[in-house]
Amino acid sequence: MSEFYDLLTSYAAYTDQKLNELLPPRDNYQKKIYDAMRYSLLAGGKRIRPVLTYVSAELFGLDKEVVTPFALALEMIHTSSLIHDDLPAMDNDDYRRGRLSNHKRFDEATAILAGDALLTYAFEVAGNGASALAESALKEGNAELAINVSKVVPALAFRVGTEGMIGGQIIDLKAENTTIDGDEHEALCAMKTGCLLTVPAEMSALVAGRCGTEEFELLKDYSMAVGIAFQVKDDILDVEGDPTILGKNVGMDDADNKTTYVTLYGIDGARIKLEELTARAKENCKKLMEIPGCVPEKARFLYDLAEYLLERKN
Ligand code: GRG
């Protein structure tokens, strides 16, 4: 497992370094917005979504550098959603990633703009990455790859929008003070959390020309299982996590009277669900290890990642 941790840490450090380069401090008239964007983006975070993007690409035999613009864009989108999620109009959280949330450190208007700016910049970065890949594919006479690559940014936008994370968040808001049933809650989690964890598989498969393959379906199902498990764990941690390790307050779901995996199934039921989802994810990794054209060490990493997310304390 120490090999796994070393690699996970090195992927996260690589992400931090690239994000820092992409968004350097600025001393211009708009300095405040750059400060607010950097404040949340460079506050740590596990960088799970970029890691899934690199490893999905590597599983298909690509270098992680090829998908790095998409990985960074995804982390910026995720951070923008955390900033907006913490606002008083949403979950109203004072702490995130071990520090004051963006609107507490700055102010509400700045936090709204910082989220907007990270989201906008993410699509600029992803679009530029896709253009560069399409251009080099065309130079090599690979029109099919150029067409596939042109689908990456729309695929990303789809998973963020009304059928993805934002769709999940609107159901989440409804789930405050209203009880929703297990099916609607499952749809909520698949959209709100699952979509940003499955889009790495989709983006990498497009770039690697693997859409529609067995390995793509296994990887996508792995990512959704891990994505929903991630939300189950989040709900459990909100009940029994340690705020000093979590970097944010606990008990927020209860305060908001939210429907969660814990309110629906109890803490033990939620744990069982978490274990079932993790087992499904690991089963898929075992199959991926056997598929020719997939890099087995990367399938092994994904296996360990599922375990790590099951055990995580933050
Ligand atoms: C700004 C595009 C945009 C949308 C706003 C507020 C909102 C719509 C969506 C909220 C989405 C949300 C906060 C989902 C929760 C997902 C989740 C489990 C977050 C925690 O992710 P971790 O644990 O956090 O990966 P770190 O800090 O490690 O990155």
Side-chain angles (χ1 to χ4, degrees), residues 33-105:
I33 191 71
Y34 290 107
D35 288 349
M37 290 161 82
R38 284 175 55 83
Y39 176 78
S40 293
L41 187 64
L42 304 173
K46 295 182 288 301
R47 311 306 194 196
I48 293 301
R49 294 151 191 84
V51 169
L52 275 173
T53 311
Y54 309 137
V55 181
S56 298
E58 289 174 335
L59 177 77
F60 295 146
L62 297 175
D63 289 337
K64 71 177 182 311
E65 285 71 19
V66 177
V67 293
T68 293
F70 309 132
L72 302 179
L74 186 53
E75 186 64 20
M76 287 196 277
I77 293 166
H78 166 58
T79 305
S80 84
S81 82
L82 298 180
I83 295 173
H84 283 186
D85 194 54
D86 291 339
L87 286 167
M90 301 253 189
D91 276 4
N92 195 15
D93 283 315
D94 291 352
Y95 292 94
R96 172 71 71 175
R97 292 180 165 172
R99 47 170 73 177
L100 284 174
S101 48
N102 201 285
H103 68 278
K104 283 281 167 187
R105 166 65 181 77

Side-chain angles (χ1 to χ4, degrees), residues 12-205:
Y14 170 75
T15 306
D16 289 348
Q17 187 209 325
K18 292 287 172 191
L19 287 173
N20 202 11
E21 286 167 16
L22 209 54
L23 195 61
R26 301 284 291 268
D27 198 8
N28 55 10
Y29 291 137
Q30 316 89 285
K31 176 180 172 3
K32 190 173 182 184
I33 191 71
Y34 290 107
D35 288 349
M37 290 161 82
R38 284 175 55 83
Y39 176 78
S40 293
L41 187 64
L42 304 173
K46 295 182 288 301
R47 311 306 194 196
I48 293 301
R49 294 151 191 84
V51 169
L52 275 173
T53 311
Y54 309 137
V55 181
S56 298
E58 289 174 335
L59 177 77
F60 295 146
L62 297 175
D63 289 337
K64 71 177 182 311
E65 285 71 19
V66 177
V67 293
T68 293
F70 309 132
L72 302 179
L74 186 53
E75 186 64 20
M76 287 196 277
I77 293 166
H78 166 58
T79 305
S80 84
S81 82
L82 298 180
I83 295 173
H84 283 186
D85 194 54
D86 291 339
L87 286 167
M90 301 253 189
D91 276 4
N92 195 15
D93 283 315
D94 291 352
Y95 292 94
R96 172 71 71 175
R97 292 180 165 172
R99 47 170 73 177
L100 284 174
S101 48
N102 201 285
H103 68 278
K104 283 281 167 187
R105 166 65 181 77
F106 296 89
D107 53 70
E108 269 183 60
T110 305
I112 291 169
L113 288 174
D116 292 345
L118 280 169
L119 183 63
T120 313
Y121 190 40
F123 282 102
E124 182 185 331
V125 169
N128 284 335
S131 297
L133 283 177
E135 201 178 322
S136 72
L138 284 178
K139 273 190 193 139
E140 286 163 17
N142 194 343
E144 193 186 337
L145 177 58
I147 291 169
N148 280 343
V149 160
S150 76
K151 295 178 184 166
V152 169
V153 175
L156 179 58
F158 184 77
R159 296 299 176 203
V160 176
T162 46
E163 295 298 318
M165 181 179 65
I166 292 174
Q169 180 70 358
I170 198 81
I171 308 175
D172 192 69
L173 293 176
K174 181 169 79 174
E176 274 175 31
N177 299 315
T178 323
T179 306
I180 57 169
D181 66 23
D183 287 348
E184 188 169 5
H185 183 259
E186 193 85 359
L188 180 174
C189 296
M191 286 193 258
K192 187 180 87 161
T193 307
C195 279
L196 289 204
L197 278 95
T198 51
V199 76
E202 293 172 335
M203 297 192 297
S204 299

